[in-house]
Amino acid sequence: SGSPRVSHVDVAIIGAGPAGCMAADVLSRYTDRGLSVRVFDKRSAKLDNGQADGINSRTLEIFESLGFVESIDKEGSRMSEINFWNPDPETGRLIRTGKIPDTIPGLSRFQQTILHQGRVEAHLLEDAAKHSKGAIVPERSMLPESLDVDESLVSDLDAYPITLAVRHLSDDESNPNGYAGDAAGTRSGLFRSSLLSAEEEEALYHQNGAHAERVEVVKAKYLVGCDGAHSWTRRQLGIKMVGDQTTFVWGVLDMIPLTNFPDIRMRCAVHSANAGSIMVIPQERDLVRLYIQLPIQVRPGERADKSQFTPDFILETARKVLHPYTLETEHIEWYTGYHINQRLTNSFGVHNRVFLAGDACHTHSPKAGQGMNTSMQDTWNLCWKLGAVATGIAKHELLQTYSDERQVVAQQLIDFDKKFSKLFSGKPSAADDLDDGVDLKEFKDVFVAGNRFGAGMSINYADSSVVGKDGSKGGIQSKQHLAANLPVGERFYSAQVVNQASATADQLTTRIPFTGAFRLLVFPGDVTKPAAMDRLIKLADYLDGPDSVVSEYTPANLPRWSVVDPITIHCAPRTAVELYDFPQPSIFYPHNYKRIFADEPSYHRGDGKAYETYGISKEEGAIVVVRPDQYTGLVVGLEDTDLLDEYFARILRPAKDGGFPASKVDKVSPPDWSKVAH
Ligand code: FAD
C-alpha cells in the first residue's frame, strides 16, 4: 500500500564487491564538495572468506595512493617465489624443475600479496566511511527491480535521467543458505560461482510478496553497475557478453594442510603426468589455497553438475596430483568450483551516464589472479573522472575515456587468460606428442612474460584528451624525450626525494596521494644556476597569473591545490638554497612545507636519483603532469605553458565562481637573513 518513497542521489552504485567498494572509496573524496553517493547490495552480509585473494603490485600502489597499503601489507601473506613442479621425464615422478621470483625485482616498490577479498572490501569501505564522514556505507539487502534511463535528459548535466527502483529485502530473502558453513565449519562458494546461471542465482533472492512500501525509487545522475558476472545492470541495458566457454573445470580449497610437500608455503605450479594440475597459493593465517584441475568433463554450452563439487572429492583429486607427497588437512575453510568462461562485453555503458565495471564486463579464469585487481582498477579509472565531472570540475566528455581506456585492458586480460589457462589446464607433453600436450618450457616462459602483465604494469593508455602522447586520438603532443623513462600513458612510479623544508627522505608517490587533483611535477634543474631559477620564476609568474591552469580551474572555495597541484623537485644541493628562494605562492605555497623537494642523497635512506630514474636532464628540466589516478598524462618543458593551457582546456571547466587567483593568497615575508645563523 502507499506509493514508494522517491529520493535523489548524484551517483548510485549497484554491488559492493571489489569494484563497487573501490568506486565508493574514490567517490568518498568528493563528498565534502557536495557529492552524494549510495551503494546497494542484495546480499545481507559482507563476504567473510573465499573468493579472490591475490593483490598485485599495481593495486598495492593504488592502496598506497589511497593511504592504507600498510594495513594490507601487515595482514596479508607476501609472495616471493614461484616454484615449478613437473614429472621427471625418465621416471614420471614429480620433481621441482625451476623457480622464479614472484614479482620481477625492480618492477614496483610493492610485491604481490595475498589477502582474501572480504578483507580487501572491508578496508575500502572503512576508508570510504572515514572520508565521507560516515555518509557512504553500503545498504545491504537491497535488490534493484527496474532501471530506466530517460534519453531526453542525458545531455542536461543537472538532470537526473536515471530512475532505479530498489526493494528492501528481509533478512531471509537476502541471505542464501549456501553461505552458512556445514557441520565442520566449511563454507561453500558454489553459490557465487560461475557454475550457477543468472536465473539460478536470482532465484536465491526470493521476494516474498509485493509490498509497495518496501520499494524506493531512486533518481540518479549517474549509475555504476558493479554487480558481478551475472550483472543485472548489464542485462537491463541489453548489453551482451561475448566470448567462449572452455571445457576446463577446476576446484578450489582454502585449508590448513598437513603435508610433506616441501614448497607448500610457496606459490607453485604443479603439473602431474596424468592426474592434472594444481596451483598452490600460501595465504594469510597459515591457510593455503589449492586450485585443482578436476576430472570432470563438460560439453560446450552445458553446465557442470554442482553436486559433484564436494570438499572430499576435490581433496582426493589434489592428493592424486601431489602423489607421492602426502596431503591431509586439519580444517577446510572454504571451497568452490568453477568452469572457465572467457567473456567480454562490447560496451562499458550507455550515454556516459550508466557504466559497467568489474566482472560485469569481463570474466575469465581466477588463477592468474586478475579479476579482483582489474575490477578495482576499472572503478579506480572511472571514479576520479566521475567525481570531477559530477562536481563541476571536469567536462562531461572526460567520461568517454573510461570505456576507451578500460575496454582495451579487458581485451588484453582475456587474451592473456586464454593463453595462460590453456597452458595450465593441459597435460604435460611427452617427448613423442609435442603437438598435443603442454610444453613445460613454454609454460614457464609465459609465466615469466606474464609477470609484468600480472603485476598490472603493462597498461599503456592510448592518446586522448587526458593522455597527451602523440596527438593521434585528440590529445596533444608531449615532449616525451624530456622525461624519457616516464612513458606518457603508463603509471607514474616513485623515486625517493628529500624534502627541502625538513631534510626528510620521502617517496614521491607518498607526497601525491589521491585527492582528485592533477599533479604538475616541476623539475626545474639546478636552481643555483641563474638560467634554471629564471625558468622557474617565469613558470611561477604564469601560474600566479589570473589565467593559469591553477587560477582558472580551481573554485575559490577549495584549497588552491585541489584541482591542479604544482610540486617542485629541483636538483641543486638542498643546503645551497633556502625555501624562501622559491617564488610564492604557486611554487612555495605559504606555510605548506610539502611542495619543494631536492634530488640528492638523504641521511638515512640513500640517494633516490630522481632525475636519472625518470630520464630528466638536469640542464633542460621538465614538467610532468600526473593524472589523479597516477598515470602520466603529459610531459612538456618549463616554458610550455601554452601546452599546459591546451591540455587542461580539453579536460576541465573554468570555475563557475571565476577561479582562484594567486592574489588571494597572503605571502609570507622571508626571515631577516642577517639574523639566520650559518
Ligand atoms: P563481485 O565480486 O562479483 O561483486 C558483485 C557484488 O554485487 C556482490 O557483492 C553481489 O552481492 C552484488 N550483486 C550482484 N547482483 C546484484 C544485484 N542484482 N543487486 C544488488 N547487488 C548485486 N581475482 C583476483 O584479482 N585475484 C585472485 O586471486 C582471484 N581469485 C579468485 C578465486 C576464485 C575462487 C574466484 C571465484 C574468483 C577469483 N578472482 C580473483 C576473481 C574475483 O573474485 C572477481 O573478479 C571479483 O570479485 C570481481 O569483482 P566485482 O566487484 O566486479 O564483482
Side-chain angles (χ1 to χ4, degrees):
S1 63
S3 41
R5 184 164 93 89
V6 179
S7 59
H8 290 77
V9 72
D10 293 325
V11 185
I13 299 169
I14 303 184
C21 293
M22 175 62 84
D25 195 14
V26 173
L27 292 172
S28 72
R29 316 299 171 108
Y30 297 84
T31 51
D32 61 357
R33 301 180 192 176
L35 188 77
S36 58
V37 181
R38 289 177 72 183
V39 187
F40 303 109
D41 198 297
K42 65 183 180 183
R43 272 185 297 142
S44 64
K46 67 179 180 59
L47 195 69
D48 55 12
N49 53 18
Q51 293 286 117
D53 62 359
I55 311 174
N56 71 17
S57 303
R58 180 62 198 138
T59 301
L60 290 165
E61 291 176 351
I62 292 170
F63 290 165
E64 180 193 47
S65 190
L66 289 168
F68 58 81
V69 71
E70 289 83 3
S71 338
I72 298 273
D73 192 48
K74 223 185 226 170
E75 234 183 284
S77 158
R78 239 186 268 164
M79 295 222 277
S80 297
E81 196 173 270
I82 307 177
N83 281 272
F84 296 90
W85 285 77
N86 293 308
D88 182 310
E90 307 277 291
T91 63
R93 192 192 147 100
L94 213 50
I95 52 168
R96 192 198 282 130
T97 54
K99 42 176 90 214
I100 56 172
D102 184 73
T103 306
I104 299 169
L107 205 54
S108 168
R109 294 203 300 123
F110 303 101
Q111 293 82 51
Q112 171 152 248
T113 196
I114 300 294
L115 184 64
H116 85 81
Q117 185 172 329
R119 288 303 304 149
V120 174
E121 292 170 4
H123 278 284
L124 287 162
L125 290 177
E126 245 169 62
D127 203 52
K130 183 174 108 189
H131 284 92
S132 65
K133 303 196 173 62
I136 304 181
V137 175
E139 298 168 56
R140 302 198 185 270
S141 305
M142 296 286 260
L143 185 69
E145 287 194 333
S146 67
L147 171 65
D148 180 64
V149 185
D150 184 344
E151 294 190 7
S152 70
L153 296 178
V154 293
S155 47
D156 174 1
L157 293 188
D158 297 320
Y160 294 81
I162 298 154
T163 307
L164 179 73
V166 278
R167 175 177 296 278
H168 295 243
L169 301 178
S170 63
D171 245 17
D172 58 324
E173 288 169 327
S174 59
N175 194 3
N177 301 336
Y179 291 126
D182 65 10
T186 301
R187 300 238 185 158
S188 163
L190 293 173
F191 290 83
R192 285 190 75 171
S193 76
S194 63
L195 300 173
L196 244 63
S197 69
E199 296 72 34
E200 282 174 299
E201 198 214 319
E202 248 163 30
L204 295 170
Y205 298 83
H206 20 243
Q207 302 155 35
N208 294 329
H211 305 284
E213 68 273 18
R214 287 168 62 192
V215 176
E216 180 183 345
V217 173
V218 181
K219 298 253 177 203
K221 288 184 177 165
Y222 299 94
L223 183 131
V224 193
C226 301
D227 44 356
H230 291 319
S231 174
W232 173 88
T233 314
R234 182 184 71 223
R235 285 178 282 139
Q236 303 310 300
L237 299 176
I239 295 174
K240 295 249 169 335
M241 281 290 229
V242 276
D244 310 320
Q245 187 174 39
T246 67
T247 54
F248 308 132
V249 177
W250 288 69
V252 185
L253 293 177
D254 286 357
M255 63 177 192
I256 303 216
L258 304 172
T259 177
N260 61 0
F261 180 67
D263 287 348
I264 200 71
R265 293 300 305 171
M266 300 278 196
R267 181 170 167 200
C268 294
V270 182
H271 273 94
S272 73
N274 294 305
S277 315
I278 283 186
M279 182 150 92
V280 182
I281 306 277
Q283 296 180 313
E284 72 271 17
R285 295 182 290 125
D286 293 334
L287 289 159
V288 170
R289 169 168 291 181
L290 298 182
Y291 285 98
I292 303 133
Q293 187 181 12
L294 298 177
I296 292 177
Q297 289 295 321
V298 187
R299 279 193 228 112
E302 287 182 4
R303 283 181 183 276
D305 169 10
K306 284 184 295 299
S307 66
Q308 305 170 85
F309 295 83
T310 63
D312 285 343
F313 172 66
I314 303 173
L315 182 61
E316 192 44 45
T317 310
R319 287 196 182 107
K320 290 183 185 143
V321 182
L322 281 186
H323 178 82
Y325 299 99
T326 56
L327 182 64
E328 300 300 326
T329 181
E330 233 171 38
H331 168 58
I332 298 179
E333 174 138 315
W334 182 81
Y335 74 98
T336 195
Y338 61 88
H339 184 179
I340 302 176
N341 292 311
Q342 285 142 337
R343 296 198 173 122
L344 177 69
T345 53
N346 47 17
S347 161
F348 275 35
V350 295
H351 306 301
N352 288 324
R353 288 287 197 161
V354 184
F355 305 91
L356 295 174
D359 277 12
C361 28
H362 39 73
T363 63
H364 44 83
S365 75
K367 276 186 308 296
Q370 294 303 305
M372 171 164 69
N373 290 294
T374 308
S375 298
M376 287 189 284
Q377 290 172 24
D378 280 349
T379 44
W380 171 247
N381 180 294
L382 170 66
C383 288
W384 68 266
K385 298 170 182 171
L386 197 47
V389 171
T391 55
I393 300 283
K395 294 183 170 171
H396 193 246
E397 300 83 74
L398 174 62
L399 292 169
Q400 181 56 36
T401 64
Y402 165 63
S403 62
D404 290 349
E405 294 185 336
R406 297 306 295 177
Q407 227 162 334
V408 175
V409 172
Q411 184 63 54
Q412 286 165 348
L413 172 58
I414 302 289
D415 295 344
F416 171 75
D417 192 66
K418 279 190 178 158
K419 216 173 185 178
F420 188 77
S421 57
K422 192 162 161 239
L423 286 169
F424 222 121
S425 299
K427 197 175 137 183
S429 57
D432 53 354
D433 65 0
L434 266 178
D435 289 346
D436 284 355
V438 171
D439 174 359
L440 293 169
K441 162 125 188 8
E442 185 191 350
F443 176 71
K444 191 175 161 196
D445 290 347
V446 169
F447 231 98
V448 174
N451 206 313
R452 206 175 121 79
F453 181 88
M457 297 302 163
S458 53
I459 290 171
N460 185 327
Y461 293 137
D463 186 77
S464 73
S465 59
V466 264
V467 180
K469 211 178 240 181
D470 50 14
S472 62
K473 294 211 183 110
I476 61 173
Q477 185 146 15
S478 271
K479 299 187 175 173
Q480 181 68 72
H481 67 278
L482 294 178
N485 304 334
L486 281 176
V488 175
E490 290 191 13
R491 87 13 165 152
F492 176 80
Y493 54 91
S494 202
Q496 180 182 285
V497 288
V498 177
N499 184 302
Q500 176 72 36
S502 68
T504 309
D506 253 338
Q507 288 293 334
L508 199 45
T509 47
T510 63
R511 173 52 193 87
I512 55 169
F514 180 78
T515 59
F518 283 82
R519 264 49 184 246
L520 280 192
L521 301 182
V522 178
F523 294 86
D526 178 350
V527 288
T528 57
K529 303 219 168 97
M533 193 47 128
D534 276 359
R535 218 163 35 193
L536 183 63
I537 289 171
K538 267 206 197 113
L539 175 70
D541 286 345
Y542 157 80
L543 291 172
D544 293 345
D547 301 324
S548 78
V549 294
V550 178
S551 307
E552 190 181 356
Y553 297 116
T554 313
N557 64 342
L558 294 180
R560 199 164 183 265
W561 53 79
S562 46
V563 178
V564 179
D565 181 17
I567 314 271
T568 301
I569 303 107
H570 68 80
C571 62
R574 180 179 49 85
T575 50
V577 276
E578 295 282 348
L579 200 51
Y580 292 87
D581 294 341
F582 291 88
Q584 300 182 41
S586 298
I587 299 295
F588 169 31
Y589 197 92
H591 313 297
N592 189 316
Y593 301 106
K594 290 184 179 167
R595 35 189 67 240
I596 300 186
F597 296 88
D599 177 18
E600 67 163 16
S602 65
Y603 284 119
H604 306 292
R605 298 200 178 166
D607 188 349
K609 295 195 172 32
Y611 276 64
E612 193 183 317
T613 307
Y614 295 145
I616 296 173
S617 133
K618 294 186 173 176
E619 281 67 49
E620 278 188 285
I623 295 178
V624 178
V625 178
V626 180
R627 310 187 334 179
D629 58 352
Q630 232 182 37
Y631 284 78
T632 301
L634 185 74
V635 174
V636 293
L638 260 78
E639 60 294 336
D640 294 322
T641 56
D642 53 332
L643 295 180
L644 290 180
D645 284 338
E646 259 191 72
Y647 177 79
F648 286 106
R650 290 172 198 208
I651 304 166
L652 302 178
R653 298 164 77 184
K656 283 204 194 92
D657 59 9
F660 196 144
S663 56
K664 276 188 57 187
V665 184
D666 293 331
K667 299 182 189 179
V668 272
S669 10
D672 179 349
W673 292 112
S674 65
K675 302 216 169 83
V676 177
H678 290 285

